[in-house]
């Protein structure tokens, strides 16, 4: 038996330890790694700008018995009107089949809850689950593995195309005590398969909660995934996410990251090419206001020749908002003909806001095309004057320019309904000036006829 | 309509306008001509309310109000319009949304109801037709990727839509080839109206071949040193600006 984890993180792990033996072993290994590691601290480069203090103070605990308090009517509040999608809903990290809509999937597409899948067909996951995360020693991804329990599994057979997007709603309901959910998602597209995944994080109620999610994506030869992540957690939430992508030859991954919610959100994006001529395009947009820290860490690994990666992240900082962009591209020895471009552009609208941005290229091959750049600036007075000279007041002019800045990323979202929703939230946040925008309505109140499921 | 009296303005420590007087009545078209550095653009910017200028003396009254006490958007709502010499690009700001926000803010200030989307689109399409502009302009971000001529024509298009009482056209002819100039001038002429005044700020006489001003003023070293009818423009064309230095030195 291992020593208990530091700082009460022991309580993040659910009991009992269920599932097949190989899974128990994997959890055990992750636990052992954690016991042997110190907690992340500010002397580590990846944690230079962030402190765990606020998170640890909350004393989060895993949810042992899930209260199934969310009904279809409650779900309506978090749906995006007009978004036509296959839908999977997780409530506090637990797959909720009664809220999901998966009956129109094409042949060759299997989508379901991880826990159910482990119960029915554990062998099919043995070599896949946790394989993309691989040997990463990222602390919170290990913690997720040590508590691996439920989440989403998507498997598309060779050549299968999902015409409609698959929407994954991860709804966190504020409970009477601070709870943590650690969902694990596995998305596997076999050769030539194509899909759009819209991964959304939303909260109901204002109580603090924590999400520590890991998503593993494996793209087969020439598979294509558009992966839109919309982080709109409640304003007292903590959001930790590790996104691990591995790409075979000729595959294409388009990641779009929208970060608007949470008190602290840390997103770690890891992309690794293992076949030639694969392509990864990662774009992001974050808006940080009072009391918010949005923290992005990118690790792009060109391990083989002739792949292309492009990362473009944009940030809006208002009030006392803070953000971190820490991007790293590694072009390994022998990865000739690699093409990598990374940019991070920020607009700071207040003197109290702060951005720490640090793109890095590490190039060990000699025949490559790589670039990176960052900008941090304020709205240009000439642009504001132009709008005001047409009768538009200063506040609206500022909002229009910010939305214009954000628009470059918003326009990349595949669905009109999603674009509208994201633009509306940003506009509302800019209107409010600084706050994180969620209403302060206390813990989520379930409808009176609550049913409980354990 | 507009009354400028003894206007002095600085950029930093340098005085650019040195006691400028100008009276513009309803429906009048005034041309202000002058060499580079005479203060033409400063005058346009001070009237429109751009930051970076300090008025040290004088007054500006526009439709009975103290113009210099107003914010730029308040000036626009009173009916002042500046067509920029260098219209800025607004990345990501859709032209239609921009025009709608501008028009509705002006309508609101005038106590008129805001236009709904249908009525608005009908209106801008009418205006586009009059100016021979392509509808694709509406879908693009404001001025982004526009040629110099397109930017200037977009200014005139905005003027047509916003229907100002006083339009200040700052070097609208600069950077245009002769065809583009003719197109822009036609647009401006179409907007001449008994209740609409215009100030054409220009270095060259050639714009005035297409737009006939009622008055021409020569601006030099921050003051209007001569005023006259349209024949003054021809005289300037003939003699250049060299004589001004001689006159000022005398």
């Amino acid at each position: 038996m291992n020593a208990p984890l530091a700082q009460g993180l022991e309580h993040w792990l659910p009991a009992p330890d269920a599932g097949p033996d190989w899974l128990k072993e994997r959890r055990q290994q992750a636990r052992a790694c954690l016991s042997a590691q110190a907690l992340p601290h500010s002397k580590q480069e990846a944690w230079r700008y962030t402190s765990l203090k606020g998170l640890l103070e909350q004393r989060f605990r895993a949810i042992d018995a899930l209260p199934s308090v969310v009904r279809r009517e409650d779900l309506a509040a978090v749906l995006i009107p007009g978004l036509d999608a296959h839908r999977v809903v997780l409530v506090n990290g637990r797959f909720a089949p009664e809220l999901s809509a998966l009956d129109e999937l094409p042949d060759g597409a299997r989508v379901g809850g991880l826990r159910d899948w482990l119960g029915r067909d554990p062998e099919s996951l043995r070599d896949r689950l946790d394989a993309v995360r691989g040997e990463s020693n990222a602390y919170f991804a290990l913690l997720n593995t040590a508590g691996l329990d439920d989440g989403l599994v998507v498997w598309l057979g060779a050549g299968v195309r999902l015409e409609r997007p698959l929407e994954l709603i991860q709804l966190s309901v504020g409970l009477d005590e601070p709870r943590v959910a650690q969902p694990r998602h596995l998305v596997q597209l076999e050769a030539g398969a194509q899909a759009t995944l819209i991964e959304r994080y939303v909260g109901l109620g204002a109580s603090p909660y924590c999400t520590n999610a890991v998503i593993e994506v494996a793209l087969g030869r020439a598979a294509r995934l558009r992966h839109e992540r919309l982080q709109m957690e409640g304003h007292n939430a903590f959001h930790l996410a590790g996104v691990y992508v591995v790409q075979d030859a000729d595959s294409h991954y388009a990641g779009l990251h929208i970060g608007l919610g949470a008190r602290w959100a840390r997103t770690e994006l890891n992309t690794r090419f293992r076949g030639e001529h694969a392509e990864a395009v990662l774009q992001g947009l974050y808006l940080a206001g009072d009391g918010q820290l949005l923290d992005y860490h990118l690790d792009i690994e060109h391990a083989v020749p002739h792949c292309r990666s492009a990362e473009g992240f944009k940030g809006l900082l208002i009030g006392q908002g803070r953000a971190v962009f820490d991007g790293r591209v590694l072009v390994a020895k022998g990865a000739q003909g690699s093409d990598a471009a990374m940019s991070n552009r920020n607009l700071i609208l207040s003197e109290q806001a702060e951005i720490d941005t640090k793109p890095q290229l590490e190039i060990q091959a000699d025949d490559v095309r790589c670039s990176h750049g960052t900008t941090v600036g304020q709205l240009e007075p000439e642009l504001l004057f132009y709008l005001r000279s047409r009768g538009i007041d200063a506040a609206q002019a500022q909002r229009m320019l910010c939305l214009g800045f954000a628009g470059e990323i918003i326009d990349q979202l595949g669905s009109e309904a999603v674009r509208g929703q994201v633009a509306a939230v940003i506009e509302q946040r800019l209107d409010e000036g600084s706050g994180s925008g969620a209403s302060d309505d206390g813990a989520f109140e379930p409808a009176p006829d609550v049913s409980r499921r354990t | 309509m507009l009354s400028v009296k003894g206007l002095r303005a600085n950029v930093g420590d340098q005085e650019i306008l040195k006691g400028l007087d100008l009276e513009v009545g309803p429906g009048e078209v005034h041309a202000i001509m002058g060499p580079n550095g005479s203060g033409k653009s400063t005058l346009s910017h001070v009237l429109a309310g751009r930051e970076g200028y300090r008025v040290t003396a004088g007054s500006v009254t526009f439709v009975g109000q103290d113009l210099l006490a107003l914010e730029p958007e308040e000036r626009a709502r009173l009916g002042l319009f500046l067509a920029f010499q260098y219209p800025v690009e607004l990345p990501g700001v859709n032209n239609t949304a921009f025009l709608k926000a501008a028009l509705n803010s002006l309508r609101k200030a005038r106590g008129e109801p805001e236009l709904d989307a249908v009525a608005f689109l009908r209106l801008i399409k009418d205006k586009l037709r009059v100016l021979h502009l392509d509808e694709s302009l509406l879908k693009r971000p404001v001025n982004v990727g526009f040629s110099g001529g397109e930017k200037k024509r977009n200014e005139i298009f905005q003027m047509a839509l916003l229907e100002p009482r006083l339009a200040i056209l700052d070097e609208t002819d600069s950077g245009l080839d002769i065809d583009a100039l003719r197109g822009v001038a036609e647009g401006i002429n179409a907007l001449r109206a008994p209740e609409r005044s215009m100030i054409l700020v220009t270095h060259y006489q050639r714009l005035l071949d297409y737009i006939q001003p009622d008055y021409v003023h020569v601006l030099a070293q921050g003051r209007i040193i001569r005023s006259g009818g349209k024949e003054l423009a021809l005289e300037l064309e003939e003699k250049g600006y060299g004589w001004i230095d001689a006159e000022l030195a005398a």
Side-chain angles (χ1 to χ4, degrees):
Chain A
M1 195 64 197
N2 295 300
L5 300 177
Q7 296 283 345
L9 288 173
E10 192 69 24
H11 298 297
W12 283 36
L13 308 179
D17 191 11
D21 287 344
W22 58 262
L23 180 58
K24 290 179 187 167
E25 260 168 50
R26 213 155 291 175
R27 288 194 194 110
Q28 228 8 268
Q29 280 166 9
R31 249 210 93 171
C33 280
L34 289 168
S35 304
Q37 262 194 50
L39 274 177
H41 52 82
S42 62
K43 297 229 167 59
Q44 290 166 302
E45 197 52 38
W47 292 87
R48 213 169 115 191
Y49 306 104
T50 35
S51 154
L52 287 181
K53 193 163 165 277
L55 175 75
L56 296 172
E57 277 170 4
Q58 297 288 333
R59 308 238 152 254
F60 287 113
R61 301 176 81 91
I63 297 162
D64 22 47
L66 183 80
S68 172
V69 295
V70 179
R71 304 181 312 168
R72 280 191 170 275
E73 300 90 284
D74 301 317
L75 191 65
V78 301
L79 293 180
I80 296 179
L83 176 61
D84 179 28
H86 308 283
R87 184 181 308 128
V88 176
V89 179
L90 267 67
V91 177
N92 292 44
R94 187 66 53 83
F95 176 50
E98 70 282 6
L99 300 175
S100 302
L102 290 169
D103 35 16
E104 289 173 32
L105 287 168
D107 290 345
R110 291 175 66 192
V111 177
L114 173 61
R115 188 185 255 213
D116 291 353
W117 200 303
L118 283 166
R120 277 199 316 266
D121 183 12
E123 276 313 296
S124 66
L125 296 178
R126 182 201 275 261
D127 296 331
R128 291 176 174 153
L129 193 58
D130 212 35
V132 184
R133 188 191 64 82
E135 282 154 25
S136 160
N137 263 335
Y139 194 91
F140 287 93
L142 274 171
L143 197 55
N144 177 287
T145 302
L148 213 156
D149 183 28
D150 205 351
L152 168 76
V153 181
V154 178
W155 178 82
L156 294 191
V160 173
R161 288 182 180 198
L162 281 192
E163 300 297 334
R164 292 154 70 204
L166 172 64
E167 182 188 22
L168 167 59
I169 300 178
Q170 306 182 79
L171 177 60
S172 291
V173 170
L175 300 169
D176 48 1
E177 333 183 63
R179 295 293 191 172
V180 57
Q182 302 204 79
R184 165 68 60 109
H185 312 305
L186 185 61
V187 177
Q188 176 131 16
L189 270 55
E190 302 294 346
Q194 292 189 18
T196 294
L197 173 64
I198 302 174
E199 194 192 349
R200 297 173 57 211
Y201 293 86
V202 286
L204 285 178
S207 328
Y209 65 86
C210 178
T211 307
N212 178 33
V214 168
I215 177 159
E216 300 182 89
V217 175
L219 299 184
R221 176 176 283 271
R224 296 178 75 87
L225 179 69
R226 167 187 274 278
H227 183 191
E228 299 178 356
R229 296 188 78 246
L230 277 57
Q231 188 277 100
M232 299 193 192
E233 302 269 27
H235 69 301
N236 277 321
F238 293 79
H239 176 92
L240 301 156
V243 181
Y244 294 84
V245 181
V246 62
Q247 296 185 238
D248 286 345
D250 301 315
S251 62
H252 182 89
Y253 175 79
L256 259 167
H257 300 268
I258 307 290
L260 301 175
R263 179 170 147 187
W264 175 35
R266 181 182 173 97
T267 309
E268 302 184 351
L269 306 174
N270 303 270
T271 299
R272 194 158 48 87
F273 298 117
R274 65 177 177 202
E276 296 189 7
H277 301 287
E279 204 170 45
V281 179
L282 275 68
Q283 289 177 294
L285 173 68
Y286 47 87
L287 167 60
D290 282 351
Q292 266 188 306
L293 168 60
L294 303 180
D295 197 352
Y296 288 89
H297 300 265
L298 278 63
D299 228 315
I300 315 294
E301 192 184 335
H302 286 256
V304 296
H306 304 297
C307 290
R308 185 176 92 90
S309 70
E311 298 78 38
F313 276 65
K314 288 181 123 177
L316 281 167
L317 295 125
I318 59 180
Q320 298 181 40
R322 280 187 61 205
V324 175
F325 178 86
D326 169 23
R328 177 173 164 270
V329 177
L330 169 69
V331 180
K333 209 171 167 185
Q336 303 296 4
S338 292
D339 186 339
M342 179 178 277
S343 81
N344 176 229
R345 293 167 62 195
N346 296 281
L347 208 46
I348 295 205
L349 300 178
S350 123
E351 282 178 12
Q352 288 89 44
E354 187 185 322
I355 168 78
D356 295 290
T357 174
K358 197 183 63 174
Q360 322 164 59
L361 295 173
E362 196 179 324
I363 301 166
Q364 295 163 359
D366 45 26
D367 175 23
V368 298
R369 214 169 70 186
C370 296
S371 65
H372 69 80
T374 63
T375 59
V376 176
Q378 293 159 336
L379 284 178
E380 291 178 47
E382 298 86 69
L383 308 193
L384 277 171
F385 174 63
Y386 189 81
L387 288 166
R388 295 178 71 191
S389 79
R390 299 303 183 244
I392 297 167
D393 67 52
Q396 194 186 356
Q398 174 164 323
R399 208 161 56 232
M400 286 173 79
L401 291 174
C402 289
L403 278 171
F405 176 82
E408 187 196 345
I409 305 295
I410 296 173
D411 289 347
Q412 304 294 317
L413 292 160
S415 140
E416 176 74 53
V418 177
R419 287 195 291 273
Q421 166 104 359
V422 170
V425 172
I426 292 178
E427 194 159 15
Q428 188 196 343
R429 291 279 309 277
L430 292 169
D431 267 351
E432 288 160 3
S434 54
S436 62
S439 61
D440 217 336
D441 53 2
F444 173 68
E445 290 288 329
D449 54 335
V450 172
S451 62
R452 283 184 182 263
R453 185 172 64 115
T454 51
Chain B
M1 165 116 12
L2 179 78
S3 174
V4 181
K5 291 200 167 78
L7 184 64
R8 290 175 173 270
N10 288 12
V11 175
D13 289 335
Q14 201 185 352
E15 187 169 60
I16 307 290
L17 298 182
K18 301 172 181 173
L20 188 140
D21 298 293
L22 180 67
E23 296 289 330
V24 178
E28 294 175 0
V29 175
H30 291 243
I32 295 183
M33 303 184 67
N36 291 330
S38 57
K40 298 193 302 289
S41 281
T42 298
L43 175 62
S44 306
H45 291 156
V46 168
L47 292 179
R50 187 182 183 133
E51 281 175 30
Y53 300 91
R54 195 160 48 88
V55 173
T56 55
S59 68
V60 180
T61 311
F62 176 57
V63 290
Q65 297 223 32
D66 175 7
L67 190 72
L68 300 177
L70 302 176
E71 297 292 336
E73 57 268 36
E74 294 171 320
R75 301 179 193 203
R77 290 169 193 168
L78 273 185
L80 186 87
F81 179 90
L82 171 66
F84 284 66
Q85 180 179 7
Y86 303 110
V88 292
E89 300 191 0
L90 305 178
V93 180
N94 171 271
N95 217 354
T96 306
F98 160 67
L99 294 168
K100 193 167 177 212
L103 182 65
N104 278 334
S105 71
L106 263 52
R107 290 180 65 93
K108 218 167 115 191
R110 294 197 294 250
E112 296 165 8
E114 296 190 7
L115 286 185
D116 63 36
V118 177
F120 175 73
L121 265 181
R122 196 180 305 132
L123 176 66
I124 51 178
K125 285 185 178 173
D126 283 349
K127 302 282 183 192
L128 282 172
R129 214 169 11 251
V130 173
L131 290 171
H132 309 291
L133 286 168
D134 195 86
E135 278 186 25
S136 66
L137 181 99
L138 299 173
K139 295 201 173 72
R140 295 157 68 180
V142 182
N143 292 330
V144 175
F146 286 25
S147 70
E150 282 178 314
K151 282 181 184 168
K152 295 289 173 87
R153 292 219 296 196
N154 198 26
E155 294 292 289
I156 305 309
F157 171 53
Q158 290 170 32
M159 174 177 155
L161 185 70
L162 302 178
E163 302 183 315
R165 284 166 155 153
L166 172 66
I168 302 164
L169 299 129
D170 189 7
E171 306 267 6
T172 293
D173 51 333
S174 69
L176 297 183
D177 65 26
I178 198 71
D179 291 329
L181 177 65
R182 199 177 286 129
V184 165
E186 270 173 29
I188 295 170
N189 279 327
L191 293 169
R192 286 183 80 154
E195 70 284 6
R196 179 170 300 130
S197 312
M198 295 187 190
I199 298 174
L200 310 173
V201 176
T202 180
H203 184 94
Y204 299 105
Q205 193 270 336
R206 63 174 194 162
L207 180 67
L208 308 182
D209 288 342
Y210 301 97
I211 306 168
Q212 302 260 310
D214 300 307
Y215 303 93
V216 173
H217 309 277
V218 179
L219 181 63
Q221 296 192 3
R223 284 185 302 121
I224 286 177
I225 58 163
R226 260 186 82 181
S227 296
K230 57 179 181 275
E231 66 287 347
L232 179 56
L234 296 169
E235 192 185 327
L236 280 174
E237 178 76 358
E238 210 171 291
K239 299 204 297 197
Y241 287 113
W243 60 272
I244 291 172
D245 296 331
E247 193 154 301
L248 287 168

